[in-house]
Amino acid sequence: MSSLITIYVCFLNFFNTEYILKYKYTCYILLSLLCLKSLYFDRRKLKECLKKGDLFAKFLIYMTFGILSTVPLLWGGRHNDILTAYIRIWLLLPIIYYIYANKNINLISGFIKASYLINLIILYDLLKYTYLFGRIQSIFSHPNFYAFYLIMIILCIMYSIHSKKMNAKIGYPYIAFNIFMMVAAGSKTAFIVLGFILLYQFILFIKEKSKITKVIIVGITLVGILFTIICFGDRLANLRIFDINYGLAENQINSFTWRILKWKSNMEVWYKNILGVIFGYGYRSEQFYGMEGYSMHNEYLRIIFNTGIIGTILLLNFSISFINKVTRIEDKDKKIFYISVLILIIIGSVSENLFVASETTVMYLAILFSINSNEFKNKLMKREYKHINVSPLVSVVMSTYNESSNDLDLSIQSILQQSYKNIEFIIVLDNPQNKIIKNVLNRYKELDERIVIIENEKNIGLVKSLNKALKVASGKYIARMDADDISYRDRILKQVNILESYNEISLVGTDILLIDEENIEIKNENLLISDPVQLKKCIGLCNCIAHPTWMFRKSILDDLKEYNEIPCAEDYDFLIRMAICGYEFYNIDEKLLKYRIRQNSITQSSEYKQLIMTTRIRKAYKKSRGSVSNYNKHIDTNVDCNIHIKSKELYYKIKNKEGSNILSKLVSKFVALCNPYFRSHLISRMIIRTKVYKLL
């Protein structure tokens, strides 16, 4: 879906030739419907967005009000002129919501890559029809829209250069080429806008320099400008972009004078009708009043005329929210990029129809709504934890069975000695016959009233024990803990900070340090994915959040209820169901738990089951189509461990004796290939590992 959106928004959107146009809008409708389908399956997130009045919610309110202001225009017999354009703008809403909500579309890179082919096509037309220089439009509906498209490409290139995502030796010459193509398009307004943007970026550039350096840079710049004017002034004056009266016939007014007359004629109509002043005259209504047949060439006046005072206030509310989001971006390069986009829109809207043509409307709204992922990701990737004023209750759940008393002591102490104190520690004793564990638990219960002990009548297994603990948990957040692992002192504090600071995150894990039975560190190259966007992609490939490190919001149990009672891999099943429901994950890039590896911690039979269940969960997820009920239909929980029992036993026999020598490893892999489950596992593991490395 992300690739389809990138292809349409960054490439197909700009083709307005007669042959391609009908296919373009067919693709547009299909893409909108696909996004609408995705929105339906992810409606929980949409409800949250609307409930808290997020950026998209404010824009949707403005668009909904636009319906009310447009109804009289449709009844007035003008529907044939505006209905197509009106439907088109509403079909865009599911697409921009997908961009806003999914945080995994790189539009900046997409625009740059697509621009190579688009500029090549237009350059070919320019060389073929040289008389069009100064007013080239080619595949675009108007030369001015092509000029403003080129400004966006220049901004994307500048951001990519500054953020080290593009080689400056390629980037700066390409910027120069785009400026040349702007001259070929001949838009005066676009050049004025580009001038303001370059001035803003120039001020930022010299701001960090010393006083002497500033004087030198400003001096060289002024000399360069004067030299250009003196040497090439006459030639530049003859270009359309610098000559306001270029190509005018006798007694013909220039474009800026014409714009002023259009504004005046429309606003004279607007203030004569009180309903028009309050509610506006409807979408695209400006072309039916004043100087008929033309748009306003001023977005501010057009919005006032179309939606009245109420619509203008609603759009202003959206604009303020967007500016607030821009100010919260911590990535300096990204912040400069979005401020530059704002300059483009604010100044360009004075004299152009930036949100009238379909190609520019799609481009600007897609860029504006891509801000959510950038701001969210950049803030979250910083390992800084702000102080929280509240201390919500955290329920730590643990199940114990046959752990050693020493390991259990270390595990319990690591929770009771946490720097975050507002916890309840729910421990389920799943082996009532083990008197040693029972004595340890009772001793700690007497020492700390935060401990809650649940004793099972008989052994019921990990999943059922955890579900019993979840039912009695009263905390806002639920943290997992295994009875033989050790949590670092600040683990719970740092996880609570993430969940309190970012409402988008529903479950947070951490990096782990592997230790053996003697508490000695085991060297391991652990691949940790922190970025929420990449993490969600990774969930569909493998379990990339260590179960004992989990802390999640208790509220997600309203959707998931509890752990599914499956033979094993219940944690992976839980994450998959969270992903289907649209919840977000995060891994703190810091080792906050010591994860114990024991020789007998996993039996041969359960390892075999784990392999089979993980594969089945992954396949069921692919068939789920965004629905938990579909996922549950496709998952088979019956695991027959007697299948190919001989090859399985031989595999474990060789694996347990496997040393560092290459021959024994090759033999064990060969034996594994004799078993269909292990064979598919080895192949899929290679594919998954390749995909995970790509995410990193």
Side-chain angles (χ1 to χ4, degrees), residues 541-555:
L541 300 172
C542 60
N543 187 349
C544 40
I545 309 176
H547 192 196
T549 70
W550 288 10
M551 180 182 288
F552 58 86
R553 301 180 190 276
K554 188 185 178 185
S555 58

Side-chain angles (χ1 to χ4, degrees), residues 15 177 204 264-265 280 299 301 311 316 337 394 429 478 480 556 587 638 666:
F15 283 79
F177 172 78
L204 291 178
K264 185 178 178 181
S265 64
E299 287 298 318
L301 297 180
L316 187 63
F337 171 79
V394 175
L429 175 58
I478 294 175
R480 272 285 289 119
I556 70 173
N587 261 330
N638 296 317
L666 287 173

Side-chain angles (χ1 to χ4, degrees), residues 81 131 232 278 396 480 520 549 626 637 679:
D81 300 300
Y131 62 88
F232 306 102
I278 298 172
V396 183
R480 272 285 289 119
I520 298 171
T549 70
T637 58
R679 183 168 62 244

Side-chain angles (χ1 to χ4, degrees), residues 9-177:
V9 171
C10 301
F11 183 69
L12 191 59
N13 168 51
F14 302 105
F15 283 79
N16 287 279
T17 56
E18 186 178 351
Y19 177 75
I20 296 178
L21 205 56
K22 58 181 179 180
Y23 299 108
K24 167 187 167 179
Y25 287 125
T26 302
C27 294
Y28 182 62
I29 293 167
L30 290 174
L31 184 62
S32 181
L33 292 175
L34 285 172
C35 290
L36 199 62
K37 179 185 175 184
S38 174
L39 188 151
Y40 172 76
F41 288 126
D42 204 11
R43 54 191 179 276
R44 182 196 63 81
K45 191 184 289 185
L46 177 61
K47 287 178 182 177
E48 285 184 4
C49 172
L50 298 176
K51 189 176 180 181
K52 65 183 181 182
D54 208 349
L55 190 67
F56 182 80
K58 291 177 180 178
F59 185 73
L60 191 62
I61 291 169
Y62 167 73
M63 290 298 298
T64 305
F65 176 78
I67 295 176
L68 302 176
S69 64
T70 307
V71 168
L73 190 66
L74 295 174
W75 278 345
R78 304 292 182 104
H79 58 279
N80 291 330
D81 300 300
I82 65 163
L83 197 56
T84 303
Y86 198 63
I87 292 171
R88 193 185 301 142
I89 192 71
W90 272 91
L91 285 171
L92 180 60
L93 290 180
I95 299 172
I96 61 173
Y97 177 75
Y98 189 95
I99 293 169
Y100 181 68
N102 286 274
K103 313 178 182 69
N104 59 351
I105 301 175
N106 190 349
L107 290 178
I108 293 175
S109 175
F111 275 122
I112 294 173
K113 291 174 182 176
S115 72
Y116 297 138
L117 184 54
I118 290 174
N119 277 333
L120 195 63
I121 293 169
I122 297 176
L123 181 62
Y124 171 78
D125 285 348
L126 185 62
L127 294 173
K128 189 176 180 181
Y129 308 105
T130 54
Y131 62 88
L132 291 175
F133 187 87
R135 218 61 190 138
I136 186 71
Q137 68 184 72
S138 188
I139 60 174
F140 284 75
S141 59
H142 195 278
N144 290 2
F145 300 144
Y146 175 49
F148 275 91
Y149 163 79
L150 290 170
I151 296 177
M152 184 60 73
I153 299 303
I154 290 169
L155 292 181
C156 292
I157 297 167
M158 291 174 79
Y159 165 74
S160 299
I161 292 171
H162 294 155
S163 58
K164 310 297 183 186
K165 295 177 182 177
M166 189 175 190
N167 191 325
K169 293 179 181 178
I170 298 172
Y172 287 120
Y174 192 46
I175 288 174
F177 172 78

Side-chain angles (χ1 to χ4, degrees), residues 366-377:
I367 282 289
L368 292 178
F369 281 96
S370 68
I371 190 174
N372 192 46
S373 60
N374 298 312
E375 172 231 335
F376 173 62
K377 183 165 64 175

Side-chain angles (χ1 to χ4, degrees), residues 576-588:
I576 287 292
R577 288 187 289 134
M578 281 186 68
I580 292 171
C581 291
Y583 291 105
E584 300 285 349
F585 313 96
Y586 183 63
N587 261 330
I588 297 174

